[in-house]
């Protein structure tokens, strides 16, 4: 297991967002401390300063380091002695705040863990990427589905050629929670996600379509070439899409599809991916993450289970496990695996080592920019009746 040995101490974490009534901030904090490599010491937990300070007790943050705003947190933390101040900040705010907050964190000299989608617009993402490139900051983007042991296992198998040449990728991310206009009923997660000024150019495609697209890219490494998309708003009076399909042509000739829905009755958080290669195919479902099916024509179907001691597991798969087989691991552990890879880079950076920023185990700023390109090209293609548009961004990981 990776450690902080190079650093000799825990990393000190700050967080923006995650206040009372919020969703993903608590997940970030739980994931960050899971391996005892980080401690949460500071926060600007809410857009409302009083609520920000009131939320600190829920995380055992010292009231002196519970700040009323992210600017105050960065100013005051920078002024602390080096052996007390934070090392990194997690950004768990709605999308429109990712850019100003992440930019300020990098400019203050700290590392960043930012939730997806990276920013509100592609232009912001590209500007942020420039700032990060000129800095010493490690920048992690929490496309957390990349952290599942069997996703990492599949990625290593595919990159090693075990499925042959990849010819098709089908990813679906299907939810049902926005079937009705929850956004008008005081549900705050629904309210900002359906508001273009806070969510961005896409609704469903920005919120979950980006995860689906990223998963296919991460597992196969295939480079995209073009996209044709159809986004649709089925729930009346909602300003952003709540359903959509995209077809993707990859450089090697492979075809991909991304389908994302937030209006499918009874569907919870069903991320599923199927990948076809010339030598075999595989299938993985997030709601049953400890199993993966691998198939070869004429042979019995193989069910891989998450088993760190099994000879069929490769290094990447084993390294992402914490528990013996049969003890289910899921969302928190996968999230923690993204943190773990980011911590390795942060610990190395602290020793002065050069840190790889593009070809990383964790999703990074390049993946974040590509996610924003995916959103903007999907919206543009859909507006142009499904026109084929370029999808190869110069900053994309390759
Ligand atoms: P949420 O509305 O539940 O929480 C957002 C929090 O940010 C609230 O506490 C709010 O007060 C705070 N906030 C807003 N502006 C702020 C500011 N200026 N300063 C400090 N705090 C501020 O939202 P959520 O569902 O937790 O989503 C947050 C982000 O996480 C979004 O970008 C979303 O896309 C992403 N997300 C990712 C995943 C994942 O699986 N990776 C899952 C859910 C959400």
């Amino acid at each position: 297991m990776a450690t902080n040995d190079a650093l000799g101490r825990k990393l000190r974490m700050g967080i923006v967002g995650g206040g009372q009534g919020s969703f993903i901030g608590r997940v970030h904090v739980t994931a960050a401390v899971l391996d005892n490599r980080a401690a949460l010491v500071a926060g600007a937990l809410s857009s409302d300063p009083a609520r920000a300070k009131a939320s600190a007790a829920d995380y055992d943050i010292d009231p002196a380091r519970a700040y009323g705003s992210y600017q105050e947190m960065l100013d005051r933390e920078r002024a602390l002695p080096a052996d007390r101040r934070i090392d990194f900040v997690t950004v768990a705010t709605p999308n429109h705040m990712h850019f100003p907050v992440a930019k300020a964190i990098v400019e203050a000299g700290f590392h960043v863990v930012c939730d997806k989608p990276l920013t509100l617009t592609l232009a912001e993402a590209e500007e942020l990427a420039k700032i990060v490139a000129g800095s010493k900051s490690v920048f992690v983007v929490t496309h957390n589905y990349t952290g599942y042991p069997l996703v990492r296992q599949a990625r290593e198998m595919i990159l090693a050629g075990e499925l042959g040449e990849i010819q098709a990728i089908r990813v679906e991310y299907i939810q049902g929670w926005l079937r009705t206009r929850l956004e008008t009923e005081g549900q705050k997660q629904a309210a900002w996600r359906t508001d273009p000024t806070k969510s961005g150019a896409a609704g469903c495609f920005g919120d979950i379509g980006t995860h689906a697209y990223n998963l296919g890219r991460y597992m196969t490494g295939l480079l995209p070439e073009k996209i044709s998309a159809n986004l649709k708003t089925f729930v009346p009076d909602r300003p952003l899409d709540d359903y959509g399909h995209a077809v993707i042509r990859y450089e090697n000739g492979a075809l991909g599809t991304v389908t994302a829905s937030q209006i499918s009755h009874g569907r919870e958080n069903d991320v599923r991916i199927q990948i076809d290669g010339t030598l075999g195919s595989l299938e993985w479902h997030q709601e049953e993450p400890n199993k993966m099916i691998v198939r070869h024509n004429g042979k019995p179907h193989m069910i891989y289970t998450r088993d760190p001691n099994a000879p069929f597991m490769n290094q990447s798969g084993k390294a992402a496990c914490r528990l013996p087989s049969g003890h289910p691991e899921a969302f928190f552990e996968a999230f923690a695996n993204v943190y773990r890879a980011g911590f390795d880079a942060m610990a190395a950076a602290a020793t002065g080592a050069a840190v790889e920023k593009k070809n990383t185990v964790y999703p990074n700023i390049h993946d974040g920019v590509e996610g924003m390109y995916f959103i903007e090209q999907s919206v543009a293609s859909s507006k142009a009746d499904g026109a084929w548009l370029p999808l190869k961004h110069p900053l994309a990981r390759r």
Side-chain angles (χ1 to χ4, degrees):
M1 184 185 131
T3 67
N4 282 13
D5 282 355
L7 193 62
R9 62 171 176 83
K10 286 188 193 179
L11 290 153
R12 292 180 288 270
M13 173 181 190
I15 186 166
V16 184
Q20 288 161 351
S22 67
F23 168 31
I24 207 70
R26 173 66 69 183
V27 174
H28 277 272
V29 175
T30 307
V33 303
L34 196 66
D35 295 321
N36 210 25
R37 295 180 65 182
L40 178 66
V41 297
L45 296 160
S46 168
S47 53
D48 168 27
R51 186 183 278 232
K53 294 192 179 188
S55 302
D58 299 345
Y59 292 98
D60 287 336
I61 294 174
D62 177 349
R65 292 173 88 175
Y67 302 105
S69 71
Y70 73 90
Q71 295 96 333
E72 185 194 354
M73 177 170 82
L74 296 174
D75 290 346
R76 297 262 302 274
E77 288 290 323
R78 261 165 64 113
L80 289 176
D83 65 349
R84 287 205 62 217
R85 73 172 79 112
I86 48 176
D87 296 289
F88 75 96
V89 184
T90 288
V91 185
T93 64
N95 307 347
H96 68 299
M97 291 306 298
H98 291 182
F99 175 70
V101 175
K103 177 173 180 283
I105 299 166
V106 176
E107 287 173 348
F110 302 119
H111 303 299
V112 185
V113 178
C114 184
D115 222 310
K116 45 48 63 179
L118 180 59
T119 48
L120 196 69
T121 65
L122 175 64
E124 286 179 350
E126 290 169 341
E127 189 183 334
L128 190 57
K130 260 193 218 146
I131 295 166
V132 172
S135 78
K136 293 195 169 148
S137 297
V138 170
F139 200 108
V140 178
V141 178
T142 41
H143 279 300
N144 45 302
Y145 301 109
T146 64
Y148 282 88
L150 289 170
V151 167
R152 297 263 177 97
Q153 165 86 17
R155 179 175 191 249
E156 187 177 319
M157 287 168 67
I158 290 168
L159 297 184
E162 289 181 39
L163 297 190
E165 187 178 355
I166 301 305
Q167 296 184 325
I169 308 173
R170 293 176 294 283
V171 203
E172 291 179 10
Y173 196 149
I174 312 295
Q175 301 178 331
W177 70 296
L178 290 178
R179 180 67 265 177
T180 58
R181 290 198 72 203
L182 265 191
E183 58 268 37
T184 61
E185 295 169 22
Q187 216 278 18
K188 68 179 209 160
Q189 280 86 15
W192 72 255
R193 279 177 171 79
T194 53
D195 173 352
T197 66
K198 297 199 165 103
S199 189
C204 174
F205 245 51
D207 197 33
I208 59 175
T210 42
H211 268 315
Y213 171 66
N214 172 267
L215 190 60
R217 278 278 283 131
Y218 186 80
M219 285 172 79
T220 66
L222 292 191
L223 283 164
E225 194 172 61
K226 291 198 164 172
I227 185 165
S228 161
N230 262 288
L231 312 188
K232 184 123 184 162
T233 310
F234 283 112
V235 174
D237 299 325
R238 178 172 282 160
L240 291 174
D241 54 288
D242 47 30
Y243 191 92
H245 295 289
V247 182
I248 295 156
R249 288 188 197 145
Y250 289 90
E251 269 188 353
N252 74 333
L255 285 180
T257 50
V258 168
T259 301
S261 169
Q262 292 177 320
I263 49 101
S264 303
H265 273 280
R267 302 293 283 277
E268 294 171 348
N269 200 55
D270 194 354
V271 189
R272 50 179 65 209
I273 183 161
Q274 300 174 55
I275 299 172
D276 297 335
T278 49
L279 300 180
S281 67
L282 66 75
E283 179 173 347
W284 178 82
H285 301 186
Q286 192 269 162
E287 289 182 350
E288 245 190 298
N290 295 295
K291 282 186 189 162
M292 174 172 77
I293 307 171
V294 177
R295 298 183 175 94
H296 302 279
N297 275 349
K299 293 196 176 152
H301 303 172
M302 293 189 286
I303 299 178
Y304 281 59
T305 51
R306 185 199 55 77
D307 181 351
N309 299 309
F312 58 76
M313 290 287 284
N314 55 36
Q315 265 318 104
S316 309
K318 284 181 182 170
C321 298
R322 286 181 182 72
L323 299 172
S325 61
H327 301 77
E329 287 187 8
F331 198 73
F332 283 115
E333 290 89 344
F335 229 101
N337 284 335
V338 174
Y339 268 92
R340 184 189 269 179
F343 289 165
D344 290 345
M346 292 178 204
T351 66
V355 173
E356 169 65 39
K357 289 192 174 176
K358 199 167 195 180
N359 189 17
T360 60
V361 174
Y362 60 85
N364 59 41
I365 185 99
H366 297 272
D367 304 305
V369 171
E370 195 180 340
M372 292 309 302
Y373 194 43
F374 169 79
I375 292 171
E376 293 210 356
Q377 295 301 72
S378 296
V379 170
S381 166
S382 186
K383 279 189 184 146
D385 207 19
W388 285 97
L389 297 180
L391 191 60
K392 189 160 73 173
H393 193 281
L395 291 181
R397 161 196 307 244
R398 56 198 63 235

